[in-house]
Amino acid sequence: MMHAKHLKYAALLIVTGLCASTAQAVKPATNRDTLMEGRRIYEQACAWCHGIGGEGDGPAGWFIGRYTSPRPRNFVNDGYKLRSTASGELPTDQNLFRVITQGIPGVMPAYRSLNERERWQVIAYLKSWNSAFEEETPAPLTFPSAPPGPTEAGIQHGRHLYVKLDCRVCHGDNGEGDGPEATAGHLRDADNLRIRATNLTDPSAWKNGASSHDLLRTLMTGLDGTPMPSYANEFDGQEEALWDLVWYIQSLSGQQGR
Amino acid sequence: MGLGLVHPIIIRATGKITHGYEHPLHHVPTFARTFYRLGEGTGFMKALLILATVLFAVHDASLSHAEPPTGTLVGRILYVGPAIPEQVIEVTRDTAFCGAQTTHRAVAIHSITRGLEGAVVSIDGIALPASDAAMPPLVLTNIHCAFAPRIAVGIVGQQVEIRNDDPIMHNTHISMGPRTFVNVGFPQADRSGNPLSSLGATR
Amino acid sequence: MSRPSAAAAIAPLVMTVFALVSGTYAVSVPSAEAIPAFARKYTMNCAVCHTAPPRLNTFGERFLENGYQLPGTEDGGITAKKHLGDLSLDDFANHTGGRLRGNMLRSHNFKRQSPPAAEAGTVHNNSELGFPEIFSLFTAGSLTKNIGFFTELESNMEESSTGIERAFVTFNNLGGTNVANIRIGRMDPSATFSFSTLRQQLELVGESMNTSTDTVQRAGLFPLAASAKFYGLRNRSGTAISPYAPSLYNAVAETGIEVRGRPFGDWFMYQVGMLNGANETFGDSNKGKDFYGAVRFDYARSANFSASLSAFAYLGNSNATVLTGAGQADVNWHRYGMAAHVRYKMFDLYGMYTLDRIAHVPTAALANFDTSASGLSVACDRPYAPLTAIRQHGYRRGSQPAHVPKLRRGSDQTIRAVQCGPVCSKRLQPPTSRRRQCSGP
């Protein structure tokens, strides 16, 4: 078990990922210059998919999911999937920074080729479309730190939770994304497009990251705009159980403790 | 002041309603939204226009008064259209508790008075006075595999409390336009709070 | 593509097929012609760049233009951060892709006049079961920031040839973002044209030619506007150039150098280049260089829509020969063309018009053919999950050999075709089976 001080530190790391320490340093103030630069980058790099006006309707946007989810995010009024904040909240700047840096497997490239300053500039620009960013101050959840490591009993308990919490209904008995709700085609995203329940045996395709901390974040925040709910309430005060579920999901791909 | 004008007003079944759950939130375990769309997709309700008449009396203040009106709007919204059939929706989960089928009434009409239950009337262009009064949370309960109440009106900033009184798992997924308002998985008998952060209709 | 054959060098070109492919339907072996290596490198589905592989969507076009780097960035440097000693097999896999191409079942339906003088031809309906006929190995990507490369080795059982199809290096963003991008090597000049020749078929249905008699037996499905059009032209080694072979600006591969860029923003592109021309493989008889220039205007700023308009001029210099009776004489073969393209959501419409002219034809040979020819090709495609249907329609209007009876000079030929191919929309595979990615269902 870690010290309380460490806990806080660990929680911060989860939220910000690797980039935080250096990234913060170069984050420019949101002023006219930043927005102008952000716009230039956006129109060269992002508008193909997200559209010149940020409405997710760029000329290449339809091809990505074709008739199924996802369409590129509409920055004007959509919510966000990949957050460290509670269900229904906007993402933090760090969350946006992470998405742009890591990309989204299958559908959006990683933009490590933009330097950090450029990534911040483009973030300022895309936020400027949605006035909710001015009205709300998204705050990250507090994430419980990890116990020493997965145990066999913990994984068993995780399996029990997986069934009890109905994950299998969407993700299937063995996590392969073939639960009854998914195969019946009932799952839809915010654009009313059919969406697959993620295959939990293939971490390389997870949008929110595949480390145990990433998984924990996914379970606590849910993916807004999709049927994947937040389970933060469920585990209130039962952090151990949450980690058990995380270990179990990782065990589906033989990567527990990653 | 006597009776005001008699207006025929048209309320679309899926029209915008300020601060209200736009639809009576019918609920089926776990996948409220998904099923809801199914019901909605049958098309009939969507296209249906409800012709209603409202009689209202405004006390003391006329609506065009410069000062914020504090009057009471009194009236009855009557439904004069053809009967609206109930929709029967198959329940695919937890049938042991919820039953194999559930009925979904998009609008509830009193059989004798023809009054429309749960109608929300919004008046545009009037700034209501701010109030410091503590607002009790707006409670939305999952009970017997449905939401209660089915229509609720809240004020920006008001806490929405979601409860699950059933002994089974429920997901509650409410959206405001394309943006998720809240999407939470609930174990047996639990609650969660979320403040209403902006104007608009949720469902 | 011309087939070198010594015996055929001086035989007169005779056309035996007149009403050619009236309908071609290919049920293809799942051969998504995306470059799986790119999809792997960026962990993206092929559909991010392709409408129907190998066709590119607006994002894919800009990726190609940027020297295989993400549009708006110079990400080649990211991969180059590794030292050579650290390279793993995976890195190699990230730059390499193979593809097998061929028809599992192919049916043609065409009318053949044989011998050529016969009044009515006989209709041939063929269905063949096939075996992957073409194997290509790609290596493509960026070596370091702003230096990209592309090589394609092809082993073609139909043409029984193996060799380098294309190989070039790109130097990008010289003098500022997208001011000048250089391509050097064996390349397809029309790669960035609104109607890019190479990407206009899902499944290559090549032409078929009898090399000993120089007779065309089946026309290929290359857009007719991009084809050679003329009968009677020969390359510098004396081999007949098929009237259906993509050529000049629309060549599949020619050796040379080009500069291209969008110095004023996305709306305008220029391209100038110099090629050996002369329809030769490597090496150059160096009688003269061919030059080309092109401009392209783009619009990609409204919802789900993009469009472009391009025009080019290609000036040949002793890039073909004709028979004069006494021997071979050099001619200058030029081409001018325009193309437009509109895309709304997933519906694509392309059109191209070209005009060819031959200058310096010796008087002795003038009687044998027209010195000008034109072509028009129109294509559209629309994906229906999981197939993409492509319709092509084109005609060529060009010279016919005067000694072939029944054929008028300046006769028209039309090819219509509908192609169906699998859409590459496979989800990413777990790392262990990555190599199968994008190989269709």
Side-chain angles (χ1 to χ4, degrees), chain B residues 62-70 122-129:
Chain B
S62 118
L63 287 181
S64 59
H65 202 278
E67 270 160 33
T70 50
S122 78
I123 301 173
D124 288 342
I126 298 171
L128 288 172

Side-chain angles (χ1 to χ4, degrees), chain A residues 52 57 62-63 66-67 106 113, chain C residues 43 45 51 73 75 301 303-304:
Chain A
I52 211 86
D57 55 5
W62 262 73
F63 293 97
R66 295 175 184 263
Y67 300 103
S113 45
Chain C
T43 53
N45 302 328
T51 61
T73 82
D75 69 302
R301 295 178 70 90
N304 304 312

Side-chain angles (χ1 to χ4, degrees), chain B residues 28-175:
Chain B
V28 184
T30 315
F31 312 109
R33 190 141 177 273
T34 311
F35 281 116
Y36 194 56
R37 286 193 183 282
L38 280 181
E40 189 183 68
T42 52
F44 173 70
M45 270 317 301
K46 212 158 193 175
L48 186 80
L49 297 181
I50 303 164
L51 196 64
T53 47
V54 62
L55 303 174
F56 63 89
V58 180
H59 298 280
D60 301 326
S62 118
L63 287 181
S64 59
H65 202 278
E67 270 160 33
T70 50
T72 315
L73 192 63
V74 181
R76 229 192 304 165
I77 296 188
L78 301 180
Y79 174 77
V80 296
I84 300 167
E86 283 180 347
Q87 288 172 342
V88 178
I89 293 165
E90 219 177 295
V91 178
T92 53
R93 298 209 35 245
D94 293 311
T95 42
F97 178 75
C98 302
Q101 285 185 334
T102 178
T103 48
H104 165 39
R105 287 188 305 165
V107 279
I109 297 146
H110 194 277
S111 56
I112 298 161
T113 63
R114 307 294 288 165
L116 194 62
E117 267 176 37
V120 178
V121 175
S122 78
I123 301 173
D124 288 342
I126 298 171
L128 288 172
S131 156
D132 292 337
M135 291 178 287
L138 197 67
V139 183
L140 184 67
T141 311
N142 290 280
I143 185 156
H144 209 91
C145 311
F147 284 127
R150 297 178 16 154
I151 291 177
V153 178
I155 293 169
V156 173
Q158 191 171 6
Q159 193 82 5
V160 176
E161 194 177 292
I162 298 158
R163 299 165 48 115
N164 177 9
D165 287 358
D166 286 345
I168 55 167
M169 180 83 197
H170 280 308
N171 282 10
T172 303
H173 190 166
I174 304 172
S175 310

Side-chain angles (χ1 to χ4, degrees), chain C residues 254-271:
Chain C
E254 282 282 2
T255 309
I257 177 168
E258 78 166 28
V259 186
R260 176 176 42 70
R262 294 182 186 265
F264 314 120
D266 189 64
W267 63 274
F268 171 77
M269 184 180 96
Y270 74 89
Q271 181 190 26

Side-chain angles (χ1 to χ4, degrees), chain C residues 24 49 52 57 59 163 170 178-179 255 257 262 288 315 317 329 342 377 388 421:
Chain C
T24 299
C49 286
N57 66 25
F59 184 72
T170 64
N178 219 348
V179 172
T255 309
I257 177 168
R262 294 182 186 265
L315 304 176
N317 188 350
V342 289
S377 289
T388 294

